[in-house]
Amino acid sequence: MQGTLVNDSNLSFFMPILDIRPTEDDLVIGVIEKGSGTACGVLRAEAEPDNRLILTYIYVASDFRNKGAGSELMRFFLETAYDLGAKSIGCCFIGNPENAYLRKILDKAGFVDESDELNVQIANIEKFDLSSLGPEIKSVRSIPLRSLPASERFFLPVKEKEYYNENVSIIAVDNASGRGMILLHPVDGKLSLETLEASGAQKIQILYALIRKAVINAKESGTYDEWIIADFSSSNAKAIMAKLTAYSSVKFTECYYFNLHF
């Protein structure tokens, strides 16, 4: 097994096993089987302030697990990250049978399991009480992400169309230049709340409009297990979640967080 830096010259070789096309701010590392030249693993990390990296994607092909591919992938990544001046690396993922091997890779590489410090909540979409949001504000217009042309997606954190649920993710605007967005990413038959933000004089009304429309669309889609996952670290966010779900949300214990400090 041989680790390698993924760049424009070899990106096409690893795209079949990458989740999305990386941006110029991503650090992408791949691993190749020396004999066959097969791309058998890849990871992608995003840079954050204070010389911190967040591992956002790790994949090792099933045929190459427990054969050294994951270890070489992580070894080369840590070596590269250290050379680039990284001070710490974090990785958050949902535990399931498909990615159970990730815990072994991270543990072997020296990452510390800090999952107990997470405050990720999960709630049944059917339990959301939309009446708690008050009356619908007619001055706020909701637009499903699917209606937004590619040329107008420059502000999205991830610009690949297949990343977000295009029907449930919503953009909102009002009559006074206020705007906001709620972006949800499908994962394991659930919806993960990636972004919820708004600005303008009617900020709260826009937020409520986003939540209302997203929940309605999610209920109508019928394509999920009707659960939504969200990180509610602040007390205000926890209070809103409790109110919306009639105090039925619970801690999502299947979410793991590993951290490594150099």
Side-chain angles (χ1 to χ4, degrees), residues 2-22 28-33 37-43 57 59 73:
Q2 180 177 344
T4 183
L5 184 66
V6 177
N7 50 38
D8 290 341
S9 65
N10 61 359
L11 176 60
S12 61
F13 189 55
F14 290 93
M15 275 307 299
I17 56 175
L18 263 170
D19 56 340
I20 61 173
R21 180 172 291 276
V28 184
I29 301 295
V31 63
I32 301 169
E33 186 186 39
T38 302
C40 49
V42 69
L43 64 78
Y57 180 78
Y59 177 77
L73 182 68

Side-chain angles (χ1 to χ4, degrees), residues 39 68 89 95 179 231 255:
I89 303 171
R179 60 182 62 246
D231 182 4
C255 193

Side-chain angles (χ1 to χ4, degrees), residues 8-239:
D8 290 341
S9 65
N10 61 359
L11 176 60
S12 61
F13 189 55
F14 290 93
M15 275 307 299
I17 56 175
L18 263 170
D19 56 340
I20 61 173
R21 180 172 291 276
T23 70
E24 59 182 15
D25 296 324
D26 291 336
L27 172 62
V28 184
I29 301 295
V31 63
I32 301 169
E33 186 186 39
K34 288 184 178 180
S36 65
T38 302
C40 49
V42 69
L43 64 78
R44 181 171 57 85
E46 297 178 0
E48 288 201 339
D50 300 322
N51 296 319
R52 179 167 173 76
L53 290 172
I54 297 295
L55 265 169
T56 54
Y57 180 78
I58 311 176
Y59 177 77
V60 176
S62 57
D63 291 344
F64 296 94
R65 294 173 189 174
N66 299 314
K67 295 182 180 179
S71 296
E72 173 60 15
L73 182 68
M74 187 58 64
R75 183 203 68 77
F76 193 86
F77 167 61
L78 294 181
E79 179 181 282
T80 304
Y82 182 81
D83 290 342
L84 291 173
K87 300 299 183 183
S88 64
I89 303 171
C91 181
C92 186
F93 62 95
I94 294 175
N96 57 34
E98 175 62 22
N99 61 23
Y101 68 96
L102 291 180
R103 297 191 66 178
K104 295 180 181 179
I105 293 175
L106 294 169
D107 185 64
K108 186 176 180 180
F111 282 72
V112 177
D113 187 350
E114 298 180 356
S115 305
D116 288 343
E117 298 181 18
L118 290 177
N119 190 22
V120 178
Q121 300 281 313
I122 186 167
N124 191 322
I125 293 174
E126 294 295 333
K127 297 288 187 180
F128 276 59
D129 178 17
L130 297 183
S131 66
S132 66
L133 299 176
E136 191 169 353
I137 307 298
K138 297 191 181 298
S139 61
V140 178
R141 183 166 63 99
S142 300
I143 308 165
L145 188 57
R146 68 174 185 272
S147 301
L148 200 66
S151 60
E152 298 180 19
R153 294 175 176 239
F154 58 90
F155 60 87
L156 297 178
V158 178
K159 297 172 181 60
E160 298 290 324
K161 288 196 70 170
E162 66 270 19
Y163 183 78
Y164 299 113
N165 179 291
E166 297 277 320
N167 295 316
V168 180
S169 297
I170 307 293
I171 309 299
V173 294
D174 66 10
N175 296 334
S177 300
R179 60 182 62 246
M181 59 182 172
I182 182 169
L183 303 174
L184 297 110
H185 171 58
V187 54
D188 290 347
K190 303 174 182 65
L191 288 170
S192 174
L193 179 62
E194 304 273 310
T195 301
L196 175 59
E197 59 184 44
S199 62
Q202 295 192 105
K203 176 180 177 179
I204 298 300
Q205 289 85 349
I206 292 174
L207 287 174
Y208 285 178
L210 288 166
I211 294 170
R212 183 194 310 278
K213 190 62 176 176
V215 170
I216 290 173
N217 286 6
K219 288 182 177 182
E220 292 177 349
S221 69
T223 57
Y224 293 91
D225 293 338
E226 298 177 340
W227 292 91
I228 188 167
I229 307 163
D231 182 4
F232 289 93
S233 300
S234 73
S235 57
N236 285 339
K238 280 188 273 189

